[in-house]
Amino acid sequence: MTHSGEHGQAPAKPEGVGARVPRKEDIRHLHGKGHFVADMAMPGLSEVAFLRSPLAHARIAAVRVDDSVRAFTVLRADMADASDIVADSTLPTYQSSAQPPLACGKVRFVGEPVAMVFAATRAEAEDYAEAIEVDYEDLPVYADVAAAQAATGEFVHPGWKNNVFVTLNADRDFDALAAQADVVVHRRMRLARQCMVPMEGKAVLAYWDHQADQLVVYSATQVPHMIRTILAECLGLDQGRVRVISPDVGGAFGYKCVLQQEELCVAWLAKTYRRPFRFIEDRREHLTAGANSREHHYELTAYADRRGKLLALDARIAIDGGAYSVWPFTIGLEPGQAVGNLPGPYAFRGYRCVTQAVATNKPGFVPYRGVARTGVCFAMELMMDAIAREVGREPWEVRLENLVKPEQMPYVNVTNKHLDSGDYPASLRKALEMIDAPAVRARQRLGEPDGRRIGLGVATYTEQAAHGTSVFAAWGTPVIPGFDQATVRITPDGGLEIRVGVHSHGQGMETTFAQIANEILGIPINRIKVLHGDTGQTPFSTGTYASRSLVMSGGAVSQACKRLLPRVVHIAGHLLGAEADQLSLREDGFAAGGQTVSIKDVADAWYLRPHRLPADVDPAGLEVTVGYKPKVDTGCFTYASHAATVAVDPATGGVEILDYVVVEDCGTMINPMVVEGQTIGGIAQGIGTAFYEETPYDANGQPLASTLADYMLPGATEVPHIRMHHFETPSPHTEFGAKGMGEGGAIAPPAVLFNAVNDALRSLGAAELAETPLTPHRVLQAIAQGRRGGGNEAALAAGHQAEPAPAI
């Protein structure tokens, strides 16, 4: 990998901002010392299993429970003191859904929990579940968007007027600018439904703490404070009587940032029976009841001049939202992100978009790493390549024609996104240099000895990160993020405790937050402890999602340390007999007049030898809590350009990634090694979206990929060596100029790889591939369609030509 700061950043301190510090948390994980929900042991612990619906849409006519297991079985009627999960929205067209903790009246997707059973072991609980019989009466199944939109009665939810959760519209100067176009290009694209597949699935353990008179819930969640809020509400408890602890979490990716039915059910058991219960999701449950992301349908029409300069874009987007709107983000988040982020990094002023989230008989749609932006990048970048083909220019030439220029920054785009800083064209040019585009074109002209076809694909995207109050308020979510708080406390021995309300599940926050504190206070990071994930010990935060934690809570850590520093300096100056402005910060201490005093000495004076303190010492002491949000809360915008070369075998449809490069700019990097790890992990997931991952459903709403033999994932041999280059354009709105970047790696790969494969197959006249995943079967069908005269105007990817486009 190559690494450079393009904008003259000062050299990093050995452990401060910009240093490549190994992650502190890796030590315990590499030695098998992590502490996950499945590792916990408690006296009297019962394991929970769920009887799940085998049907996608049906009335529950009767439930019969064998007398031998009735005492260990819970139905919805037994949970009268627990509320349904309702995620309301202020969006004007929004239709609200109520998700019962256990199905009541009818089931709405395969895998929906109908009954809960507990026993000493999971195996016994599953045996008990088999003693429950349920009579179902079939209802019409809406297995896809088109079927749901066509429904005239018996909708997914009673009282609805149709099967549409919400419709969003945008229209800005479209008609006038579209009329000026010389070129009109129309395409359709589609992304398959996916699972997130974290190493650890859902996991929750709850018990009643009799000493504290408090419900304690250990949950593998990204958002412990929000889960406490909604559990207290649904269970009728004061929030002070609920404590949520998120221990080590084995990946999440958005899957664990909403209230899960199982969390509510297990918490209810602990509240009701006053003893411990636990549920651990198995892989089959995850692959069926957790198949809940990415399924977007696009119909785009671009209006451009003869050079490919985009004047206006007309978009229709349909999102398969599943059966329920999830709490707290609601189904409105996905279409809101889609309509707002479709323009991406491009400067055009005519825009018309209609986006619908449609209710179907599938699991409820959950935000997944990238949150709509993987879909909109896929659609927009395939459209850019289509425009380039139409006007006879290279794909990167058309992009350079359309990208926002650095001299235009800060730039407010057509959907009112505030692009704060960066040089988008430079990132694309650098990616083309790294991939050596002229050499790839020369190689294409020569041809491959083995008969494979070489293709080159590029994509540029923006990642809206750390968006705050005004953005979420516009999306109408029931919880709106505001200030994130951090508490910093110097310990009596001169160490530092940092307490934050976000939670790390792989992002390296225990390291990067310590680096921020080290940058300001000089305390070595091995003496800094970051505490997170426990509502009983940390200040409130809405949690870890939307690439917000480093900017928001990291910003709060920075501000808290800056506010604490003068207090420390004042005491240190007194101990040294010097004025504060005479002191210089050294590693773990201060110096003046040839003498030094350590942070430990300052702490010793405050805690143990107060007679050594100055008379005017601040009585607030060596602990500070600060709330923070960026100067502009519409988000900061990370961006990157990806480029890839592939080899496609026209005989087998197989695709090999030959080279993959990334040029990214997330502002000031706190730890470049963490940035690279996050990016590479995201790219691996993006390769899964592009080539492998899909949960298909039959006409009865049955998931057809219920094991890892059916649901394909990329492994080590499918992820290529990734070459990376960094720009650093600080955000003007955040501490240190940092921007969030946790989702970016997952955004671009499907677009880059599809563009590369389409480029490789262009000489064969193949139909354009525009539906994920890009399987060998679809490659061969695209080639065959081209030979039959289908050409490059394929409405959908090969293999789905007959499916009607969703109506809006």
Side-chain angles (χ1 to χ4, degrees):
M1 294 184 183
T2 58
H3 318 286
S4 66
E6 295 287 310
H7 295 272
Q9 296 296 298
K13 290 184 179 181
E15 294 185 329
V17 170
R20 290 179 171 271
V21 177
R23 298 196 329 169
K24 297 175 64 177
E25 47 269 75
D26 289 346
I27 295 173
R28 68 176 183 273
H29 292 307
L30 290 172
H31 288 86
K33 303 298 184 183
H35 189 54
F36 299 86
V37 173
D39 297 321
M40 298 175 183
M42 298 186 74
L45 178 66
S46 294
E47 303 287 355
V48 174
F50 290 92
L51 178 69
R52 297 179 181 273
S53 171
L55 301 178
H57 199 198
R59 286 193 181 88
I60 300 174
V63 180
R64 293 182 295 279
V65 183
D66 189 278
D67 290 342
S68 63
V69 300
R70 185 64 183 94
F72 310 104
T73 301
V74 177
L75 305 175
R76 179 64 180 106
D78 302 318
M79 300 178 67
D81 56 340
S83 302
D84 290 349
I85 303 168
V86 179
D88 279 334
S89 171
T90 59
L91 293 171
T93 61
Y94 183 82
Q95 297 191 104
S96 181
S97 64
Q99 183 176 19
L102 296 171
C104 180
K106 70 174 184 175
V107 293
R108 294 178 172 87
F109 65 91
V110 172
E112 182 167 10
V114 175
M116 173 169 56
V117 184
F118 56 90
T121 67
R122 173 67 179 256
E124 289 176 273
E126 290 178 352
D127 288 344
Y128 290 171
E130 291 183 1
I132 303 171
E133 296 179 353
V134 183
D135 293 339
Y136 296 101
E137 297 175 354
D138 287 341
L139 292 171
V141 174
Y142 308 118
D144 55 45
V145 165
Q149 289 174 325
T152 57
E154 194 57 60
F155 300 125
V156 175
H157 293 281
W160 281 23
K161 57 186 178 182
N162 52 34
N163 277 326
V164 178
F165 279 109
V166 66
T167 301
L168 301 178
N169 296 276
D171 195 332
R172 181 170 178 180
D173 301 330
F174 174 78
D175 290 328
L177 288 166
Q180 301 173 23
D182 302 307
V183 174
V184 179
V185 181
H186 180 81
R187 291 292 188 275
R188 290 178 184 160
M189 304 87 169
R190 178 179 173 181
L191 284 85
R193 200 170 193 86
Q194 285 184 238
C195 298
M196 285 87 161
V197 203
M199 292 174 66
E200 177 197 36
K202 298 177 188 176
V204 57
L205 182 154
Y207 69 94
W208 192 267
D209 184 334
H210 294 277
Q211 181 180 17
D213 194 29
Q214 189 178 54
L215 173 66
V216 179
V217 180
Y218 282 88
S219 177
T221 181
Q222 301 168 232
V223 290
H225 285 274
M226 286 205 289
I227 294 302
R228 180 182 72 165
T229 295
I230 188 62
L231 285 179
E233 180 180 317
C234 288
L235 296 175
L237 294 170
D238 291 339
Q239 289 198 36
R241 299 186 74 200
V242 180
R243 180 181 179 187
V244 173
I245 302 170
S246 186
D248 283 327
V249 174
F253 313 124
Y255 186 55
K256 301 171 184 176
C257 72
V258 303
L259 176 65
Q260 311 280 1
Q261 289 169 287
E262 295 88 350
E263 286 174 309
L264 177 54
C265 286
V266 172
W268 179 87
L269 283 173
K271 174 202 169 190
T272 302
Y273 291 96
R274 294 299 205 265
R275 55 191 182 86
F277 297 86
R278 175 169 58 189
F279 166 72
I280 304 292
E281 179 184 65
D282 67 30
R283 192 56 66 188
R284 186 182 291 271
E285 286 176 308
H286 177 75
L287 291 173
T288 53
N292 49 18
S293 194
R294 289 282 191 263
E295 192 169 357
H296 288 205
H297 303 252
Y298 292 86
E299 184 170 358
L300 303 185
T301 306
Y303 298 80
D305 68 15
R306 288 186 175 86
R307 292 184 56 80
K309 173 66 176 174
L310 185 60
L311 304 175
L313 181 69
D314 189 16
R316 296 196 302 160
I317 307 171
I319 295 167
D320 189 323
Y324 296 104
S325 183
V326 296
W327 191 97
F329 297 110
T330 81
I331 189 57
L333 176 66
E334 195 78 11
Q337 285 272 45
V339 69
N341 284 285
L342 181 60
Y346 299 111
F348 61 92
R349 307 312 301 179
Y351 187 53
R352 184 170 65 195
C353 182
V354 181
T355 307
Q356 282 189 344
V358 180
T360 61
N361 293 121
K362 297 173 184 172
F365 204 105
V366 176
Y368 178 32
R369 193 177 195 176
V371 189
R373 287 159 295 184
T374 300
V376 299
C377 177
F378 180 74
M380 196 71 189
E381 293 300 300
L382 265 62
M383 180 57 82
M384 280 291 163
D385 267 34
I387 293 170
R389 283 190 284 273
E390 187 69 24
V391 301
R393 302 182 73 190
E394 286 282 18
W396 49 86
E397 292 175 340
V398 168
R399 285 172 173 81
L400 291 170
E401 193 85 37
N402 286 284
L403 287 170
V404 175
K405 306 298 188 290
E407 59 269 20
Q408 295 176 286
M409 293 290 185
Y411 181 82
V412 179
N413 78 354
V414 70
T415 59
N416 203 36
K417 299 296 182 188
H418 294 248
L419 309 182
D420 51 345
S421 62
D423 191 336
Y424 300 173
S427 73
L428 178 56
R429 292 189 185 100
K430 183 64 179 178
L432 292 168
E433 174 192 323
M434 292 174 68
I435 206 77
D436 198 350
V440 175
R441 287 292 184 243
R443 183 176 176 179
Q444 285 178 317
R445 289 191 293 271
L446 288 173
E448 297 296 300
D450 60 4
R452 294 192 299 174
R453 303 299 173 113
I454 301 300
L456 169 59
V458 297
T460 299
Y461 69 87
T462 58
E463 177 188 0
Q464 185 181 11
H467 31 297
T469 303
S470 62
V471 177
F472 278 90
W475 286 333
T477 56
V479 175
I480 310 295
F483 290 90
D484 261 50
Q485 290 183 309
T487 298
V488 297
R489 174 195 300 158
I490 293 178
T491 59
D493 62 355
L496 187 73
E497 290 181 354
I498 298 172
R499 297 173 187 265
V500 290
V502 294
H503 185 62
S504 181
H505 42 273
Q507 295 89 337
M509 284 186 254
E510 293 174 34
T511 302
T512 52
F513 287 4
Q515 288 182 255
I516 290 170
N518 171 267
E519 180 75 17
I520 297 164
L521 297 174
I523 299 173
I525 66 169
N526 65 358
R527 306 207 65 221
I528 300 174
K529 177 69 174 176
V530 178
L531 302 173
H532 55 99
D534 185 345
T535 64
Q537 297 190 45
T538 62
F540 183 85
S541 168
T542 54
T544 299
Y545 56 91
S547 299
R548 70 186 301 275
S549 297
L550 192 284
V551 173
M552 301 294 291
S553 282
V557 170
S558 174
Q559 286 285 308
C561 290
K562 288 177 180 177
R563 192 169 298 180
L564 179 61
L565 181 60
R567 301 183 195 174
V568 179
V569 169
H570 184 52
I571 297 173
H574 179 75
L575 295 176
L576 289 167
E579 296 297 324
D581 59 5
Q582 296 175 323
L583 270 62
S584 59
L585 180 64
R586 303 290 177 86
E587 183 177 345
D588 201 20
F590 303 89
Q595 294 183 307
T596 61
V597 64
S598 68
I599 298 286
K600 182 178 180 180
D601 294 330
V602 172
D604 183 77
W606 171 259
Y607 289 105
L608 303 176
R609 294 173 176 81
H611 60 283
R612 301 183 64 197
L613 295 172
D616 60 345
V617 69
D618 189 332
L622 300 182
E623 179 174 339
V624 171
T625 298
V626 171
Y628 171 82
K629 63 180 178 179
K631 300 170 189 175
V632 176
D633 78 349
T634 53
C636 46
F637 281 80
T638 292
Y639 65 95
S641 291
H642 292 205
T645 53
V646 301
V648 183
D649 188 337
T652 66
V655 180
E656 179 187 0
I657 304 173
L658 302 177
D659 197 7
Y660 200 109
V661 303
V662 178
V663 180
E664 72 84 36
D665 186 346
C666 62
T668 301
M669 292 183 287
I670 305 302
N671 187 323
M673 186 172 65
V674 170
V675 169
E676 290 160 5
Q678 286 276 70
T679 302
I680 292 168
I683 290 170
Q685 289 180 301
I687 290 171
T689 296
F691 287 155
Y692 304 106
E693 297 185 52
E694 178 181 23
T695 301
Y697 288 78
D698 67 15
N700 295 314
Q702 292 291 328
L704 302 180
S706 60
T707 73
L708 291 178
D710 309 306
Y711 190 92
M712 302 299 293
L713 291 166
T717 57
E718 285 77 44
V719 178
H721 174 65
I722 295 164
R723 297 187 292 126
M724 201 174 306
H725 186 89
H726 302 291
F727 291 170
E728 290 191 79
T729 311
S731 170
H733 307 312
T734 69
E735 290 288 294
F736 301 111
K739 304 178 184 180
M741 52 70 56
E743 300 167 272
I747 291 174
V752 171
L753 296 170
F754 268 69
N755 282 338
V757 171
N758 282 329
D759 183 61
L761 298 179
R762 188 179 179 189
S763 62
L764 298 176
E768 290 175 20
L769 289 149
E771 179 177 1
T772 67
L774 199 161
T775 61
H777 176 70
R778 285 174 175 157
V779 170
L780 295 176
Q781 285 198 318
I783 294 170
Q785 184 181 348
R787 289 171 178 160
R788 293 195 301 268
N792 284 333
E793 296 301 324
L796 281 173
H800 287 78
Q801 298 297 319
E803 183 175 331
I808 294 182

